[in-house]
Structure formats: C-alpha cells, structure tokens
Amino acid sequence: MNSSNERQEISLIIVTHRDIFQWVNQIKGLKEQYQERSAVAWLSPDDMKTLNIEDGDKIKIRNALGTIVVQAKLYSSCPRGFAFMPVGHYSSRLVEYDPGKARLPGFKRIEVSAEATEEEITPIPELQ
Amino acid sequence: MSLVKLACPACGCLCDDIDVELEGNRIKRIENACAKGASIFYSGENPDRRNSCQIDGQEVPLEKAIEEAAYLLKRSSRRLIFGLDSSTLEAQAIGIELAQTLGSVLDDSSSFCQGALIEKILDGTIPSCSLPEVKDNADLLIYWGSNPSHAHPRHLSKFSYYSYTEYNELGWLPKVKLGCVEVRETEVSSLSNPFFKLKPGEDKDFIEAILTAARRSGSNPGEEADEAKAFTELVKSSHFCVIFVGLGLTYALDGDFRLFAEMVQEFNPSTRIAVIPMVGHYNMRGFNQSLYQRIGYVNKVSFAGAISYGDEYSFLEQVRNHLADCVLIVGSNPFSNLPYSIMKELQGVPVICLDPFATTTTKAAHVVIGTAISGLECDGRALRMDGEEIKLTQARVSNYPSDEEVLGRLLDRLSR
C-alpha cells in the first residue's frame, strides 16, 4: 500500500470467472495454492489508484452478505467500476441469489464496496 | 506394466484419447490429459483426498453408510436429490428412478448452468451439431462468454481451431476464422480476430443490435454500433458458423435464450449456424438428455404425485425456501460453488453426499459415501457436450463402489 493514510472506499461490480489453476488446486485439496488462486480480485488501474494501492496489496471487499479480504491485482484493461474474481469459496461469500431480481445467482454481477486493508487474507477454514 | 486408453471425466469435452500407463494398480504416466484431467487421475491416488464412508465424521463400513442414508431418505417426506452431472448414464438412470420411487424433487447443476440452452437444443429451437462435424467444415468459430483455456483446456486443439487437418505448428493458412465475444481479455481472445469486447452485462444489447443490423438491407446502413455490424457481416459471410456458448453468455442473458435463438434464426438459412454448449460437468448433458427423453424436462422436476416442472423445483429455490427435509447430493460440491447465503439455509437438514473426493460439501454432510472415479475406477457411458456418447472404461481395481452401485442399493432398500 502507498504511504498515504488516505482511506477510500469504492463501489465495484465483481464478475466471476473460471481459473484452471484454482480448479486443479481445489481437486488437490484446499491448501495454500488454492487460496493464492482464489483470494484475488483483478481491478482497473483507475480503481487501484483511487484505493491508493499497488499490485499485490490487500483489499477488504464486503456487501450485505459477507466480508472477505483478498489480494488486489492490476488488470490494465479492466473497466473502471468492475473487478474480476475466480468462482470459489471467496466469491461465493458475496454472491446474491434473489429470484425477484434474476433467475440465476449473481455470479456475474456482485455489488460490493472495497477498501484497502492491512488485515490478513481471509483464511480458507473460515469459509468452509 | 499396462497401457490403457481412457476417457477423461474432468469436463464436458470427455477427451477419449488419454493414455495411462499403469504399474500394478498405480498410475505411472499420463499422456494427452490437460491439467484438469491429470489432477483428477493423480488425486485419485492420494488417500488424503479420497472419501471413506462416514456418518457424522466417523468412519463406518459401506453397508452402514448405505443403511443410514436409506433410513434418512425413508423417514423424510420432502426429499431433494441433486447432482448426478458427474455420474455415468447408468447411474443417472438409477438416480432418476430413485427420485421417482421416493416422490422426490430432482435437479442438477444445469439449472444454474447450461440447462436452458440444452433444452432449446433438444427441442429443436436452437440448431446444434456434433464436434467432429466442426473440424474442417465450419469456416467461422465463435467462443461467446467462454474461456476454454481454463474451463475446457483441450477444446481448441481437439475439436475446433487447432484440430483442423491443415493446421501445422510451423504455420498455416487457416480456412477458418476464430472470433470471440467476451467481457475481458483471455487466452482465446488473444487468438481471436475479431474480438468483440463487451462490458459485463452488455450481451443482450449486443444481440439486439445484431438483430437490427441483420434485418436491415445491405444498402441501407443503420445506426447500430460498429461492433454489431461487424459481427453481422462476419456471420453472413461465412457458410458454417459454430458458436460455443459459455456461462458468460448464459448469465448475461439470465438463462433466457429466446433472443439469442431469434438471432440464430435470423442468420439461417443463408449461413448454417450451430450452437454447442460449453458444458462443465462431464455428464451434465447426459443428465439433461436422459431426463428429457424420459419425462420431457431437462431439470427442476418434482415426482411428488404427478410430474411437475418449474423454477420452484430448482436446487436453489428448494434450499432457499427450506422445502427439503433430506438432501441427497451426488458428485457435486454446492457448498463451495453456490452462494453461501443460500447454502447456510441447509443447516439442520440431513445431507447425504456421494463423492470420490473430500470437498466442502462432504465436510458438511451427515452421511458421506466415498465413490469410484468414473472412467478410472468404474465403467459406464456419458454424453459429451455435443450429445455424442462416450464410453468410460475402468482401468484399475478399486474398493470404492460406483455411484451406480450405491444408488442401486439405495433404490433396492427403498423400493421394498
């Protein structure tokens, strides 16, 4: 995280996707490698700047359904206001299913707020 | 030392050219498998990853676990059977019979994956074709909301772009164009030309713009976005276009493929279009097709009294509304993959889970029955994503019962 103490919270829409390495590590067991591939959110340069963070810093993501701490990664062509995360234990904490809004769960549209944090990445056992 | 050729149960590609060298009963070498396939085969040999039979976390003999599962199912009045996408056709047939016998609700992952699209293919609303038909015949391949490099790693090399006869690693002049519609840059988008990059959720607007452009005469240019016009021209200039539909499109359309079907119809008959669903679980297509042939629906059914179908019988709705008093999950891991806010509603409901591997779902289950890995430890048949039947062959001796055996024993007990 940058040295500035400014704390900024932003709104994001998370879109989940598949990640083969995360999938493979889920089959192998929910160990460190699985966490490394799952506890990650890819953000736009603008949003990284607003959050005052650098590639690899941690962010706390939350909505009414849950809170997780993951690593933020820079995705240069990510549109501002969006973030990408692998489907799995982390993103599932935040996914809404409300048939009044949509027939399918909101895996491709998770509304959250995000802020920089010094807290540890949410450990997998907390998500099981 | 023996060499066997196997079909891989890691995804809906069901690649049937996996060479496995066995030394005794152990795998020594695997050829042709992708990382997903290899991880399943090799993890099968890791005792830490396999499930024993358990009741409330305590190891029990198979017979005892089956007895407990049968007891729980028998004493319940609102049973829910879920999964079977990673079971053979033979096991699925028994699973469906079990649901009928128990008057249970029956659903699989397709109700929040590709079920809606598969239904439209089965009822003829959306045209499809077999994967072997694609090779050397299709002159335009479009991946839409799908990133096969991560979900179906050998799709391009075995069935589409790189499978063409004229492809040579030293270079080629392809007679086929590769395009993709995607919301982010992926391995496939980097190979595609053109790459139609949409903002998340824009797919429906894009299809509407394509429809408008396609319906306009060529001499009367409209005001649709250039991208939609380019897509329309691309498809119209091809003879045989295959669209591989991934979950990105399915979710963007919220599972409603009517507009997409309209778009496909619009291009036919000047261009032959075939749509192939990028199916995740290796035999989801088999489940959908088996159920459809039997009762006319692909998923979300209730056998309580007359056969009923509807969203209220989806796994998610059943759990959200606390409608089930006993859940049998076969080869699926909803506690990891589905919204936690919904899955926590199952607290207090007995869950029985059949799975070869230890998962978050087996951890939450009251009864766990460790089963054989299809295509390595038990035989059977499955339907590939295009509906083609693939034979699965048992390659090594296993003490684990197959889903077919466990479900058969449950059916036997519960039919008495």
Side-chain angles (χ1 to χ4, degrees), chain B residues 82-87 109 281-282 328-334 337 352-357 359 361-362 369 371 403 407:
Chain B
F82 174 72
L84 292 162
D85 320 271
S86 294
S87 303
S109 305
H281 297 274
Y282 84 81
L328 170 61
I329 298 173
V330 185
S332 191
N333 187 11
N337 301 328
I352 303 155
C353 186
L354 277 55
D355 204 299
F357 296 108
T359 66
T361 300
T362 59
I369 300 179
T371 49
D403 291 342
L407 292 169

Side-chain angles (χ1 to χ4, degrees), chain A residues 23-91:
Chain A
W23 193 97
V24 163
N25 280 306
Q26 182 163 12
I27 293 292
K28 288 181 177 172
L30 303 177
K31 300 198 177 127
E32 203 176 310
Q33 295 92 332
Y34 176 78
Q35 181 176 303
E36 272 172 27
R37 300 297 302 200
S38 305
V40 59
W42 299 85
L43 271 65
S44 72
D46 285 345
D47 287 326
M48 297 277 281
K49 197 172 168 187
T50 309
L51 288 171
N52 195 23
I53 56 171
E54 289 171 1
D55 188 75
D57 284 346
K58 287 171 288 185
I59 52 171
K60 185 188 278 188
I61 303 177
R62 66 177 149 218
N63 63 16
L65 302 174
T67 302
I68 53 171
V69 175
V70 301
Q71 192 178 41
K73 302 284 277 182
L74 176 65
Y75 173 31
S76 58
S77 59
C78 179
R80 184 176 198 161
F82 289 93
F84 293 93
M85 270 190 86
V87 180
H89 287 78
Y90 289 86
S91 50

Side-chain angles (χ1 to χ4, degrees), chain A residues 13 15-31 34 37 42 65-66 75-80 82-84 87-109 124-128, chain B residues 10 34-37 39-40 43 46 48-49 111-113 116 145 147 149-151 153 183-186 197 199-201 247-248 250-256 300 309 311 314 316-317 320 333 335-342 344 357-360 363:
Chain A
I13 293 173
V15 180
T16 62
H17 61 86
R18 295 281 167 196
D19 180 291
I20 187 171
F21 306 106
Q22 181 231 27
W23 193 97
V24 163
N25 280 306
Q26 182 163 12
I27 293 292
K28 288 181 177 172
L30 303 177
K31 300 198 177 127
Y34 176 78
R37 300 297 302 200
W42 299 85
L65 302 174
Y75 173 31
S76 58
S77 59
C78 179
R80 184 176 198 161
F82 289 93
F84 293 93
V87 180
H89 287 78
Y90 289 86
S91 50
S92 293
R93 282 282 154 157
L94 308 169
V95 177
E96 182 184 34
Y97 168 63
D98 178 355
K101 293 180 183 171
R103 289 173 73 191
L104 298 177
F107 287 111
K108 304 289 182 184
R109 194 179 172 81
I124 287 282
E126 278 185 26
L127 303 173
Q128 289 194 84
Chain B
C34 69
K36 290 178 75 171
S39 72
I40 287 199
S43 294
N46 180 355
D48 292 344
R49 294 293 304 124
S111 69
F112 46 86
C113 292
N147 184 18
S149 301
H150 285 259
V183 296
R184 65 194 176 105
E185 270 126 47
T186 66
K197 189 175 179 189
K199 267 197 169 174
L247 288 180
T250 301
Y251 271 79
L253 298 178
D254 198 24
D256 182 352
K300 297 183 284 190
Y309 165 82
D311 285 346
S314 75
L316 284 163
E317 278 296 88
R320 187 177 75 95
N333 187 11
F335 279 84
S336 155
N337 301 328
L338 288 181
Y340 173 76
S341 56
I342 298 300
K344 71 181 182 187
F357 296 108
T359 66
T360 305
K363 200 172 173 184

Side-chain angles (χ1 to χ4, degrees), chain B residues 263-302:
Chain B
M263 182 198 79
V264 170
Q265 295 298 338
E266 192 61 37
F267 286 119
N268 272 321
S270 61
T271 298
R272 180 189 171 193
I273 297 197
V275 177
I276 295 183
M278 298 294 278
V279 170
H281 297 274
Y282 84 81
N283 203 18
M284 181 189 286
R285 175 79 187 239
F287 177 86
N288 292 148
Q289 213 149 310
S290 299
L291 196 61
Y292 186 80
Q293 282 163 359
R294 199 143 158 173
I295 61 168
Y297 303 109
V298 297
N299 53 25
K300 297 183 284 190
V301 292
S302 168

